[in-house]
Amino acid sequence: MGNISIVIGSWGSYNECNERALGSNWLDLSDYSDWDEIVEELKKQGFELDGIDEELFIQDVEGINDSSTNWDYVNPQQLFETLLESGILDDDYKYNVFEAYLEVNSFSDWENRVDSRGSRWDDDIYLYRDRDMEEVAYDLMHECYEIPDYLENYIDYSSYARDLSYGGFHETSKGVIEIR
């Protein structure tokens, strides 16, 4: 599943340099079904959410590879609710598409997709898992056309793969992602 974990801190504790300045324990977001469960966990860890710890921020993130985002200014509740709505916390395929998507676009682009499309944010995104561009070019050519054996040697799959990269296909560490 989407293994996304965060450490939540509070500006009040941070500014007071008290024992909670280092934030919460790591919270695996797939363990929670709504924000109220996270609030209860923070209270168990000693957070005073009606007092000094009212203003929360994200101190650290694992499972979201986007170095362009300053997580200190992302609202933890909003992040959790967006991740929950997107479906990536409980769907391996969506999580893999999410990871590949972040290799070619920013987290805020992804967030905008979820805001406008909800759990269907990935309807026009396809992940050819563990495939490179040439393999995808070969597969697409053979899916679309019946190619006789005698013509096979004349097809330049590397050129077709290059052309795919101009039309919304991107090679990522997860495979090739197509964003339409």
Side-chain angles (χ1 to χ4, degrees), residues 104-118:
V104 296
N105 290 296
S106 71
F107 180 80
S108 64
D109 289 339
W110 177 81
E111 210 172 20
N112 290 336
R113 289 181 72 91
V114 175
D115 286 345
S116 65
R117 301 173 186 206

Side-chain angles (χ1 to χ4, degrees), residues 82-127:
T82 300
L83 295 171
L84 196 61
E85 181 181 359
S86 74
I88 68 171
L89 293 177
D90 58 5
D91 184 321
D92 284 334
Y93 178 76
K94 280 185 180 273
Y95 180 71
N96 284 311
V97 172
F98 167 72
E99 285 187 304
Y101 184 87
L102 289 183
E103 287 186 35
V104 296
N105 290 296
S106 71
F107 180 80
S108 64
D109 289 339
W110 177 81
E111 210 172 20
N112 290 336
R113 289 181 72 91
V114 175
D115 286 345
S116 65
R117 301 173 186 206
S119 64
R120 300 184 63 136
W121 63 271
D122 62 335
D123 274 357
D124 57 354
I125 301 174
Y126 302 94
L127 179 62

Side-chain angles (χ1 to χ4, degrees), residues 68 73 93 96 118 122 164 167 175-176:
S68 68
Y73 298 104
Y93 178 76
N96 284 311
D122 62 335
L164 288 176
V176 173

Side-chain angles (χ1 to χ4, degrees), residues 150-179:
Y150 68 89
L151 288 178
E152 188 71 39
N153 291 333
Y154 297 99
I155 299 173
D156 185 354
Y157 292 108
S158 61
S159 291
Y160 183 41
R162 181 199 63 230
D163 292 350
L164 288 176
S165 70
Y166 303 139
F169 288 78
H170 308 274
E171 212 164 80
T172 73
S173 64
K174 296 290 180 185
V176 173
I177 188 169
E178 176 188 11
I179 304 170

